[in-house]
Amino acid sequence: MRYLLKSPAKYVQGPNILGELDQYLQGMGKRPLVLLSVSGTKRIGPTLEKCFSGADWQVRQEVFQGECSQRQIDRLLEAARTHRATAVIGIGGGKILDTAKAVGHYGQIPVAAAPTVASSDSPCSSLSVIYHDDGAFDRYLHLDSCPQAVLADTAVIAKAPARLLAAGMGDAMATWFEARACRASGSDNQLGGKPTRAASGLARLCWDFLRRDGLAAMRDAESGLCSQAVETIVEVNTYLSSVGFESGGLAAAHGIQKGFTQIPALRSQLHGFNVAFCTLAQLVMEDAQEDLNAVAAFSTSIGLPICFADLGYPDAEPDAVRGAAEKACVPTSTIHHMPFEVTSEMVYQALMDADAFGRQYHQQEEGE
C-alpha cells in the first residue's frame, strides 16, 4: 500500500502580489506565455506590463477563448512553441488555469497559476478538467505535477463578484465529505494512492473553516473588503480544497456533478453551485441526516443552492435527471469511491429526495 500527496512547490497569497509576479518565477526562464481573458487583459494587463518591464523579459500574451477544450489547448500549445516559451502563466478563473496547466503538461514547461477569483479548487491541483467545445464534460487530464507556483492576489479576488466566492465555498464544502467517503471505502485518491493523514486533515479543515468564517467572508466580499475572513476563505477554496480533493479523494458529489453537464440548463451553472447541491445528494445516499441539516443551513446562509429551483432548473425533467444519474455512474466515475455500491437508480432517487428536502427546508425557513 502506498500513500500519496501532491501540492504546489510554492503557494503565495496576499494583496497586490500580482505586481510582484516576476519575483516568484525563479527557475521558469524569461520567456513566459501568459494566458488571460479579454477582461483580464484590460484589468491586469497594465500591472503585468510594469512587472515585466525589464529588458530581459520577453512575454507573449494570449487571450483565452472560453472553454478548456482540446482545441483550445492545441492552439495555445502551438503559440507556446512559436514563442519558445520557458513557462506558461494562467491568470484568471478555473478554466483558464486548467488550460494553462494542460499546455504546460504537453509542452513540458513549468506552470504558474494566478487565480483572480476563488470560485473553485482547481489552482493547486495536478489535474485539468477537459470539456468539449460545447461545454459538456470530456475527460480528466492527470498531470505529472502541480503548478510550480500558485499566486492568489486577494486584492484582486476581493473585487470579484461575491457570488464567485460562494461558488468556491460550494466546491470546498464537498472536500471533507468526499474525502471521508474515500477513507471509509479504502478507495484511492485522485493520484492513484491512498490518502495521507495530512490530506484528510486538510479536507476536514475546509469544512471547519467554512462554518467558522464563510458567512463573514461572504458579507465582507459583498462590500469588496479584503478582510481576514476573506483571506481565510480564499486559502480554503484555493489551497486546502485543492490539495484536499486531489490527495484526499473524490466521491459522489463530483461524480454526480459530471453527470449534470448532460443537462443544458445546469451545464452553464457555476461548478461550485452544482457541487453544493450534489453534496446534498451524496449525504442523502449516506443517510447522514445531521450533516444534511448542517450543509443546508450553511448553504442557505451564503446563497448556495439546496434544490433544483435554486440552480435555475425549477421544472427538473425526470428523464434528464435520470440521464445525468446514468452519466454519473459510468465505470470511471469517482462515485464508485463511496463505501457501498452505487447504481444510477440510487443516484436518481437521491437527487429527487435532495430536491424535495431543499424545497421543504426553504418552506420551513419562510414560515419562521
Side-chain angles (χ1 to χ4, degrees):
M1 183 181 296
R2 58 177 182 168
Y3 297 86
L4 289 177
L5 180 146
K6 273 187 182 179
S7 67
K10 183 184 299 180
Y11 178 79
V12 186
Q13 178 179 312
N16 304 311
I17 61 171
L18 276 179
E20 307 166 351
L21 180 58
D22 58 315
Q23 299 179 28
Y24 304 112
L25 302 179
Q26 298 94 335
M28 297 189 195
K30 298 289 186 176
R31 300 180 62 89
L33 176 77
V34 179
L35 180 57
L36 290 157
S37 66
V38 173
S39 61
T41 300
K42 294 177 181 177
R43 289 183 293 108
I44 299 168
T47 299
L48 297 182
E49 287 181 13
K50 183 177 180 181
C51 179
F52 294 119
S53 60
D56 53 344
W57 285 101
Q58 298 183 55
V59 180
R60 175 170 173 173
Q61 291 190 23
E62 285 286 335
V63 175
F64 178 68
Q65 296 180 359
E67 196 56 74
C68 181
S69 66
Q70 191 61 52
R71 187 171 63 86
Q72 281 291 308
I73 293 166
D74 292 342
R75 179 182 70 84
L76 294 164
L77 182 60
E78 181 59 30
R81 288 169 175 164
T82 301
H83 181 55
R84 292 183 290 114
T86 57
V88 56
I89 304 171
I91 304 176
K95 293 192 176 185
I96 289 180
L97 304 186
D98 276 4
T99 303
K101 289 188 287 184
V103 171
H105 172 76
Y106 288 123
Q108 297 185 315
I109 54 177
V111 175
T116 56
V117 294
S119 61
S120 76
D121 55 16
S122 68
C124 296
S125 72
S126 62
L127 181 75
S128 287
V129 183
I130 312 300
Y131 294 86
H132 295 291
D133 289 328
D134 66 357
F137 174 70
D138 180 3
R139 70 189 190 279
Y140 289 121
L141 176 63
H142 295 277
L143 314 173
D144 295 331
S145 61
C146 301
Q148 278 67 19
V150 176
L151 304 106
D153 189 325
T154 46
V156 173
I157 293 170
K159 294 176 182 177
R163 184 169 180 264
L164 298 179
L165 188 70
M169 287 192 263
D171 204 11
M173 183 173 64
T175 308
W176 165 240
F177 299 110
E178 293 188 283
R180 181 179 70 180
C182 286
R183 272 207 169 268
S185 65
S187 298
D188 286 348
N189 57 24
Q190 299 306 103
L191 310 174
K194 301 303 178 187
T196 64
R197 289 166 180 79
S200 298
L202 293 178
R204 179 57 196 247
L205 284 176
C206 288
W207 185 222
D208 290 344
F209 281 124
L210 286 173
R211 285 184 292 177
R212 193 191 78 175
D213 295 314
L215 180 56
M218 192 65 185
R219 289 171 175 167
D220 292 340
E222 288 171 345
S223 300
L225 299 177
C226 185
S227 65
Q228 188 56 55
V230 170
E231 290 278 1
T232 298
I233 296 305
V234 169
E235 183 179 345
V236 168
N237 291 2
T238 306
Y239 182 79
L240 296 181
S241 183
S242 281
V243 179
F245 97 75
E246 185 170 40
S247 296
L250 294 177
H254 275 81
I256 299 171
Q257 185 275 326
K258 293 299 176 289
F260 274 14
T261 66
Q262 299 295 109
I263 302 175
L266 299 178
R267 186 183 301 162
S268 58
Q269 185 56 267
L270 289 171
H271 171 82
F273 277 34
N274 283 338
V275 170
F277 178 63
C278 293
T279 300
L280 287 179
Q282 174 177 322
L283 294 172
V284 167
M285 287 196 291
E286 293 176 301
D287 195 24
Q289 191 62 49
E290 184 177 346
D291 290 328
L292 193 65
N293 290 329
V295 166
F298 174 74
S299 294
T300 54
S301 75
I302 65 167
L304 287 173
I306 60 171
C307 64
F308 279 124
D310 292 344
L311 287 169
Y313 191 45
D315 300 317
E317 300 175 7
D319 287 346
V321 176
R322 284 188 186 279
E326 291 171 2
K327 177 68 174 178
C329 293
V330 297
T332 56
S333 174
T334 59
I335 204 166
H336 302 299
H337 291 170
M338 296 298 291
F340 45 78
E341 183 179 355
V342 178
T343 66
S344 62
E345 182 60 28
M346 185 188 302
V347 174
Y348 168 76
Q349 194 59 56
L351 285 168
M352 302 310 285
D353 287 350
D355 178 57
F357 169 83
R359 286 186 282 107
Q360 184 179 21
Y361 193 93
H362 281 317
Q363 291 172 358
Q364 290 174 347
E365 277 196 319
E366 292 169 1
E368 291 178 356

